[in-house]
Amino acid sequence: MSEGTSELGGGVAVGRLNEVTPPFSSQAALDEAARCLYCFDAPCAQACPAAVDVSAFIRKITTGNLRGAARVILQANPLGASCARVCPVDELCEGACVVGKTNRPVAIGRLQRSVTDWAAANSKSVLRAGRPTGKRVAVIGGGPAGLTCAAELAQLGHAVTVFEAREKAGGLNTYGIVPLRLPLENSLAEVEMVRGLGVAIRTGVAVGRDVQPEDLLRDYDALFVAIGLGGGAHLGVPGEELSGVYEALDLIAAAKLGDLGHIRIGERVAVVGGGNTAIDAATVARRLGAREVTVVYRRGQEEMPAYKYEVDFARGEGVNFQWLAAPVRIVGKGQVAGLECVRTQLAAPDESGRRRPQPVPSSKYVMAVDTVIKALGQAPLASTIARLGLQVKGGRLEVDAETGRTSQPRIFAGGDCVSGGGEVVFAVQQAKRAARGIHAAIVA
Amino acid sequence: MVDLSVNLAGIKAPSPFWLSSGPVTNTAKQADLAFAAGWGGFVWKTIGTPIINVSSRLGGLNYGARRLVGLNNIELISDRSIEDNVREIADIKRRWPQQAVVASIMAESKKEAWQELVRQVEESGCDGLELNFSCPHGMHERGMGAAVGQVPEYTERTTDWVKSVARTPVIVKLTPNISDIRQPARAAKAGGADGVSLINTISSIIGVDLDRFEPIPSVNGRGTHGGYCGPAVKPIALNMVATLAQDEEFGLPISGIGGITTWRDVLEFMVMGATSTQVHTAVMHWGFRIIEDMIDGVTNYLEDKGFHSIQEIIGKAVPSLTDWGKLDLNYQVRSQIVEAKCIGCQVCFAACRDGGHDSIRLQTGTRVPMVDQETCVGCNLCLLACPVEGAIAMARVDQGKPYMSWEQYVSAAGAQGCRGG
Ligand SMILES: Cc1cc2nc3c(=O)[nH]c(=O)nc-3n(C[C@H](O)[C@H](O)[C@H](O)COP(=O)(O)OP(=O)(O)OC[C@H]3O[C@@H](n4cnc5c(N)ncnc54)[C@H](O)[C@@H]3O)c2cc1C
Ligand SMILES: Cc1cc2nc3c(=O)[nH]c(=O)nc-3n(C[C@H](O)[C@H](O)[C@H](O)COP(=O)(O)O)c2cc1C
Ligand code: SF4
C-alpha cells in the first residue's frame, strides 16, 4: 500500500478514492486568471445559474484580493466550494467562455475552487449574518438547497433552523457525490460555514417522524422544503433480493464515509442504468478493486443521460459499456451469479422525446457477474410530501417559478424535490429564489 | 547574407547589438560569455573611484503575470578598482579584437580627475569611452552622473576636458531626467563629443511596501529615488532618440538605449536614428542567450525586406516623424469589427463607451457588437483593447480629400479674420 492511503472497512486503499483533480498552485491560479479577458457583461456569468460574477472574482485573483474574490463567489453562491468541484462547467460557465472560441476556455471551476479553498484554509468568513429581524424560518432538509436557503435567509437577519433526517447534513454532497469529485470534508466544511452564520442545524431529525409539520407551521413564520429525492427505484426483476445486489447510492455513501463494512464488491460487476449515478457507481466499483465493471443500459450511447466528460472519465478508468441491453433477471442461489439480459432496439421517440427501448425477440443472454449495482434514479419522497399536504405533479412538488411558493402560502420549496433531480447549482438557484420569496413574504 | 556591422563615430562593431554599462558588463567573465553568445559590443560597467553599494538594490514592476516590465535600481558605478577593470578590458580586447569594448567612466567634477581617469582607462586598449553624465541616484548626490548631465554647461565643460586628452572616440551618455533632450546633447557636441548614447535610467520610485510603509527596494527600513529602466521605458527612450535624430543642429551618431528586449525593439531604435543599440534589463532578466533571436530576427527581417546592410535602415523612419501641426486633418479612419474573428468579449464596448466616443453598439441575438460609423472618430482604442488579432480593422473613409494640416487650417482661418483655438 502506498503512502498516504489507509484501509477502508473492506480492505481497500482509500487513497484511490481521493479527489481526482488536483488543486491549482497559487502560481497556476495566477497564470490561469491572467487568461481571463474580463469581458463586458460576461457570458460566463450569464451562464451561471447561481449568477456568480465570474470575471469579477477572477480579476480579484489577479490583483491578489482573494478575500474579495471569495466574497464575490459566496455571496452569489454559498455552495461555491462544492459547485467549484461538481458543476458541469463545460455546459455552463466554461462552455460560454469566449476564450474557448480560439483557445482552451479559462478554467473557471478550478479558479473558483482555489479561491474557496483559500477562504476555507484561512478561515475567512466572508459572509455575515444580517441584523436580526425576529422572524423564524424552518428548513426541511439539509442538502444543497436547504443550506443555500438557510445561508441566504441568515444573511437577511432571519433566525433559521435546518431539520436534517440523516446523521450528517450536506445531502447528496455528503452522501451522494463520489469523493473522487467532492471529498466529504469539503461538503462538511460548507455545512459548518452555514452554521457559522448562526443557522441551527439539527441533524438526525426527520420531519414527519421526529417533528411534525403542524408544529413547524405553528412555531415558524415560513417553511422551506428541500427534502431532495428518496432512495433508488426498483429494478422490478426477479432476484433483486440476492446478496451481492446493491443500491448505487448506498455504495457511494459507504465509499464516501469510508465505511464499506456491509458492502462486498466482487470481481465482476454489472451496473444497471445510464445516468451519472450509474457512471459514478461504476468508477467507484473499479477503484474499489473490481476486475471487470460493465454499465448495462437499455438505450444507446447517444441516449445516455450521463455527461460525456463523466463517461469519458469512466472509460479511462476501465469501465465497459453494454448499450441496448435490459436486465430481465438476476441469476443465483443466495448470491448473485449472473445477470440475464435481453437485447433491445429503439422505437420511435415517445412523448418525452426519447426513443423507447423494445426487447429483441429471443435475444436473451446471461452475463457472468457476482455483483449487481442498481442505479435507476431516485424516486420522489411521496409520503413526506403527502404529510406536508402539498401539491405534486408527476411526483415533483409544484411551486411558483418566481418565489418558490408551494400550494401552501407559508411553505416554499426548491432543489431536487421540485426539479425531479438536477445539479447542485440548480438547487442553489431555486433556493436563492425561494429565499427571496420567503423574505418578501415574512417581512411584508 | 546581410551585413550587420556598424561604425559608431569610429567605434567599429560586428553588429549593433551592444550591452550597456551596468551589472551585466562588470567583469571579463561576462564579456567572454556575452561575446561567445554573439553580442557585438560591450560597454563596461562605469569605471571610477570604487564605491560602496547598498543591499538590496533593485525593485521590479510586474504587470499581471508578466515579471519585470520595469526595473528600478539604486546601484552605483563599479565597486572594483580601476586597475582590475583596466586589466580585464585589456585581456578581453586581446581575446575579442573584432568586438567593440567601450569603457564607461565617471570622475569627480575636476579636470585633473577626469583626464587622469581617461589616461588610465585608455591604457586598456578599449575602442572608445562613454562618459556617464547620467546616473540619476547616489552619484548624482555627489555632484557626478546626472548632476553633470542635467546642466548643459557642465556637460560641455567636462566633455571638453575629456576630449582634450582622449585618443579614442568619446560618447556622452545622456540622462532622460531633463525637459528637452536637445539641450544636453548639443552641449555634448559643443564639448567635442563624437556621439551620444541614451537613455540612462529615469528617476523613479518603483513601489511601496504596504505592510511596512517603505519604498521599494528597502535598505534596512529606508529607500531612495532609483533609476527606472526595462521594457516600460522604451517609448520614452525612443522619443528622445528620434528627437535627436531629427535635430539638425545636433547631427552626431546615436547609440539607442532603453527597454530594448527583442529584435523588433532594436530595429525600431535604428529606424528612428540609432546607429547601435544597447541592452541592459533584458539581459539581467533572461541572460545573454536572448541575443540569438535578436540576430536571427533582425537578419530575417532585413532579408525579407531586401536590405543588404543594416546601415541602410538607420534613420529610415525619421522623415515621417513630424509635428502635430503638420498631420493631415482630412485623413479619416473608422473602426470595423470583423465578425468572423470577433469572439464577443465586448471589451471594446466598455472601452469605447467609457473611454472612447461611445460608438460601439451591442446587438440583440449576437455578442458581436457593431461600430456606429457616424460617431466613431477613429481613435484606435477599441483595436488596442481587443484581445484577438485581426478582429477589429481600421478602414480609411475619407475618400481622398486633399491634405490639410492644422497649420494650413489656422493660416486659412486667419486670412478670413477668425482665429483657431
Ligand atoms: C450519484 C449522484 C451524483 C451526482 N453528481 C452530481 C455532480 O457531479 N454535480 C452536480 O451538480 N450534481 C450532482 N448530483 C445531483 C446533486 O447532488 C443534487 O442535485 C443536489 O444534491 C440536490 O440538492 P437538494 O438539497 O435538493 O437535495 P439533497 O441533496 O438530496 O438533500 C436533501 C436532504 O433532505 C434530507 N431529508 C429528506 N427528507 C427529510 C425529512 N423528512 N426531514 C428532514 N430531512 C429530510 C435528506 O436527508 C437530504 O440530506 C448528483 C447526484 C447523485 C445522486
Ligand atoms: C542595476 C543597474 C546598474 C546600472 N549601472 C549603470 C552604470 O554603472 N553606468 C551606466 O552608464 N548605466 C548604468 N545603468 C543603466 C543602463 O546601462 C541602461 O542605460 C538603462 O538600464 C536602460 O536600458 P535597459 O532598459 O535596457 O535596462 C544601470 C542599470 C541598471 C539596471
Ligand atoms: S475607434 Fe475609438 S471611437 Fe471608434 S469605435 Fe473604436 S474606440 Fe470607439
Side-chain angles (χ1 to χ4, degrees), chain A residues 285-444:
Chain A
R286 273 291 290 161
R287 293 232 166 182
L288 289 176
R291 228 165 14 93
E292 206 175 295
V293 177
T294 308
V295 172
V296 179
Y297 181 52
R298 59 201 178 124
R299 292 186 173 92
Q301 179 171 9
E302 299 301 306
E303 286 75 25
M304 276 207 303
Y307 285 121
K308 187 176 173 309
Y309 65 84
E310 283 230 39
V311 175
D312 289 345
F313 177 70
R315 278 234 178 75
E317 293 281 302
V319 170
N320 304 317
F321 289 86
Q322 256 187 41
W323 294 286
L324 297 168
V328 290
R329 187 165 65 100
I330 302 171
V331 193
K333 289 201 179 74
Q335 168 68 37
V336 174
L339 181 67
E340 186 174 321
C341 298
V342 63
R343 291 254 160 241
T344 59
Q345 58 192 16
L346 295 182
D350 60 13
E351 60 282 2
S352 77
R354 291 206 303 178
R355 305 177 65 190
R356 205 157 40 78
Q358 287 175 333
V360 175
S362 16
S363 66
K364 279 188 188 155
Y365 65 101
V366 175
M367 291 171 65
V369 295
D370 50 22
T371 309
V372 173
I373 298 170
K374 303 180 288 179
L376 297 173
Q378 298 169 266
L381 287 167
S383 66
T384 311
I385 294 172
R387 265 306 268 110
L388 290 161
L390 301 174
Q391 225 159 52
V392 289
K393 191 175 177 188
R396 304 177 190 188
L397 265 172
E398 252 197 309
V399 298
D400 174 66
E402 284 303 305
T403 59
R405 197 193 289 260
T406 65
S407 49
Q408 299 275 351
R410 283 203 292 135
I411 306 184
F412 297 73
D416 278 1
C417 62
V418 168
S419 65
E423 277 72 36
V424 174
V425 72
F426 292 105
V428 169
Q429 181 182 43
Q430 292 174 13
K432 281 175 68 179
R433 270 186 212 150
R436 281 197 296 273
I438 292 169
H439 179 68
I442 61 182
V443 299

Side-chain angles (χ1 to χ4, degrees), chain A residues 82-83 85-88 139-147 162-178 181 202 205-209 224-230 248-249 252 276-278 280-281 307 309-310 378 381 384 388 414-419 421-428 430:
Chain A
S82 55
C83 281
R85 294 176 155 84
V86 306
C87 270
V139 170
I140 308 174
L147 291 173
V162 175
F163 296 91
E164 168 53 55
R166 296 183 84 151
E167 190 194 324
K168 295 184 192 333
L172 289 171
N173 277 358
T174 295
Y175 291 100
I177 301 185
V178 289
R181 258 201 319 285
R202 297 182 54 195
V205 181
V207 173
R209 182 189 71 196
F224 179 63
V225 180
I227 54 177
L229 298 168
L249 285 180
I252 293 170
N276 290 316
T277 306
D280 283 345
Y307 285 121
Y309 65 84
E310 283 230 39
Q378 298 169 266
L381 287 167
T384 311
L388 290 161
D416 278 1
C417 62
V418 168
S419 65
E423 277 72 36
V424 174
V425 72
F426 292 105
V428 169
Q430 292 174 13

Side-chain angles (χ1 to χ4, degrees), chain A residues 27 30-31 34 37-43 46 62 98-102, chain B residues 64-65 67 341-347 349-350 353-354 362 367 387-388:
Chain A
Q27 186 62 52
L30 271 178
D31 292 349
L37 299 178
Y38 197 46
C39 291
F40 183 83
D41 193 14
Q46 291 174 5
T62 66
V98 300
V99 174
K101 293 192 181 180
T102 50
Chain B
R67 299 250 143 200
K341 292 217 171 147
C342 174
I343 59 174
C345 69
Q346 298 180 356
V347 166
F349 170 79
R353 188 194 63 184
D354 301 352
L362 301 180
R367 282 196 59 91
V388 179

Side-chain angles (χ1 to χ4, degrees), chain B residues 7 138 170 211 256 260 417:
Chain B
N7 181 339
V170 172
D211 295 320
I260 297 174

Side-chain angles (χ1 to χ4, degrees), chain B residues 335 352 356-357 359-360 371 375-383 394:
Chain B
S335 162
C352 185
H357 298 268
S359 296
I360 296 187
V371 178
T375 58
C376 169
V377 302
C379 72
N380 261 7
L381 176 62
C382 51
L383 171 73
M394 304 301 295

